[in-house]
């Protein structure tokens, strides 16, 4: 091992031997990118299909704490970017990863983050093919920040977008809601909350492929990250020009998450998720899509939660457990910062 000591120093960002040692021992030895050039050179048979399109996305991750029950910032970085591609109907193929590292960060922490990223990438069927590292002075960032970009391929037969949702389409979520937000809140320790809940963080590419095979006319999907289910549904309703109605009794929620929200005055509909999506499909394909989701670990708790309607265009409403109806608005502000 060429790395000396236990922590990152400014020398590891200086462009010399120390930086090379950091990159080789922590990153490239694990990710094994194809070569050590300044760019990745990519080929896939999927690109040869007539009408296939590239999908490209990028995202930054700044979660506090960096390690939490059910994952860490590295898992978030891989899963979050894979999911941004998957909900558009793309098959995720390649990722880049750029790291901003605070001086003094332990090598052991970096190794755990990178090892997790490699495992998640392999499970999701993607490769981390290029990246970058920068080291900044103490206090200039909080531990490690990661930016990942992803490239995938959308088959010619798929055209998923929120504007395609129409009245009568059914909304399906792939599991219990709010676990990630509740986990991060408890993990920070500021409120003396104890909980056995773990983050729902998961890559959803395989689940989307299964759902789209079962429901080939699926209209649109969104991953339920910051802003939670409520914000995703509002985005879809606005872009589709239709209304959406969901049923409170149908929402899959853990009692622990509901209880935590009641104590803190939060609404679980706005809690962040990192392994959850909402999918809109034609009514006659809903049961097939639901069964396909439920057959996979990432969709074990999948449920039909509502549908698109012709009334109250651009607005989301919920039928409450008490028989009434309330408007579910877009999140205003931030329930919890530094969530992903």
């Amino acid at each position: 091992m060429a790395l000396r000591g236990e922590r990152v120093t400014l020398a590891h960002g200086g462009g010399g031997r120390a930086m090379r040692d950091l990159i080789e021992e922590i990153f490239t030895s694990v990710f094994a990118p194809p070569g050590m050039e300044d760019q990745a050179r990519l080929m896939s048979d999927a690109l040869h299909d007539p009408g296939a399109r590239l999908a490209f996305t990028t995202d930054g991750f700044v979660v506090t704490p960096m390690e939490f029950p059910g994952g860490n910032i590295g898992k978030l970085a891989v899963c979050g970017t894979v999911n941004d591609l998957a909900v558009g109907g793309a098959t995720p193929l390649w990722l880049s990863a750029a790291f901003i590292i605070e001086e003094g960060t332990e090598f052991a922490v970096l190794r755990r983050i990178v090892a997790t990223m490699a495992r998640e990438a392999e499970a999701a069927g993607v490769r981390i093919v290029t990246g970058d590292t920068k080291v900044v002075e103490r206090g200039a960032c909080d531990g490690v920040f990661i930016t990942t970009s992803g490239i995938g391929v959308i088959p010619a037969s798929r055209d998923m977008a929120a504007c395609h949702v129409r009245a009568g389409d059914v909304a399906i979520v792939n599991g219990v809601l709010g676990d990630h937000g509740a986990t991060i809140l408890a993990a920070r320790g500021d409120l003396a909350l104890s909980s056995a809940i773990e983050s729902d963080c998961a890559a959803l590419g395989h689940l989307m492929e299964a759902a789209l095979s079962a429901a080939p006319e699926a209209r649109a999907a969104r991953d339920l990250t910051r802003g939670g289910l409520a914000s995703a549904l509002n985005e879809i309703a606005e872009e589709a020009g239709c209304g959406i109605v969901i049923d409170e009794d149908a929402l899959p929620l853990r009692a622990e998450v509901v209880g935590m929200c009641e104590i803190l005055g939060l609404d679980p509909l706005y809690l962040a998720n990192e392994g959850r999506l909402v999918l809109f499909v034609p009514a006659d394909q809903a049961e097939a899509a639901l069964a396909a989701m439920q057959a996979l670990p990432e969709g074990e708790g999948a449920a039909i939660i509502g549908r698109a309607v012709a009334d109250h265009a651009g607005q989301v409403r919920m039928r409450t457990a008490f028989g009434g109806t309330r408007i579910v608005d877009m999140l205003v502000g931030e329930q919890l910062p530094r969530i992903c």
Side-chain angles (χ1 to χ4, degrees), residues 214-232:
E217 296 177 39
R219 314 292 194 197
R222 283 282 195 281
D223 56 334
L224 311 179
T225 55
R226 286 170 298 179
L229 174 66
S231 294

Side-chain angles (χ1 to χ4, degrees), residues 125-142:
V126 299
R127 291 194 66 191
I128 299 172
V129 294
T130 190
D132 186 46
T133 62
K134 293 291 185 295
V135 178
V136 297
E137 297 87 351
R138 291 178 187 271
C141 82
D142 185 9

Side-chain angles (χ1 to χ4, degrees), residues 145-283:
F145 294 165
I146 303 176
T147 297
T148 44
S149 296
I151 297 174
V153 177
I154 304 174
S157 58
R158 289 182 190 165
D159 183 21
M160 296 181 64
C163 61
H164 297 327
V165 173
R166 61 193 67 170
D169 289 345
V170 172
I172 308 171
V173 295
N174 66 302
V176 292
L177 303 170
D179 281 9
H180 180 71
T183 297
I184 297 299
L185 186 59
R188 289 181 179 171
D190 298 334
L191 301 172
L193 293 171
S194 61
S195 171
I197 302 169
E198 291 191 354
S199 171
D200 54 39
C201 186
L204 302 176
H206 300 316
L207 179 132
M208 273 297 294
E209 287 294 335
L212 294 179
S213 293
E217 296 177 39
R219 314 292 194 197
R222 283 282 195 281
D223 56 334
L224 311 179
T225 55
R226 286 170 298 179
L229 174 66
S231 294
L233 291 178
N234 273 277
E235 290 175 1
I236 292 171
E238 183 176 344
E239 292 181 37
C242 64
I244 296 174
V245 175
I246 59 175
D247 293 305
E248 186 174 23
D249 287 338
L251 297 175
L253 293 165
R254 295 187 197 279
E256 299 95 323
V257 172
V258 173
M260 184 181 293
C261 287
E262 288 176 349
I263 291 170
L264 300 175
L266 301 176
D267 188 333
L269 291 180
Y270 297 96
L271 283 183
N273 309 265
E274 288 295 339
R276 298 291 178 256
L277 58 78
V278 61
L279 174 69
F280 279 82
V281 301

Side-chain angles (χ1 to χ4, degrees), residues 38-64:
D38 286 338
Q39 75 293 129
R41 302 167 190 184
L42 309 173
M43 286 294 295
S44 171
D45 290 342
L47 295 172
H48 298 301
D49 292 342
R53 291 153 292 157
L54 285 177
F56 177 66
T57 189
T58 192
D59 206 349
F61 298 86
V62 296
V63 66
T64 298

Side-chain angles (χ1 to χ4, degrees), residues 286-303:
E287 290 298 332
L290 180 65
M293 286 186 177
Q294 290 174 337
L296 296 174
E298 301 86 358
E300 229 173 5

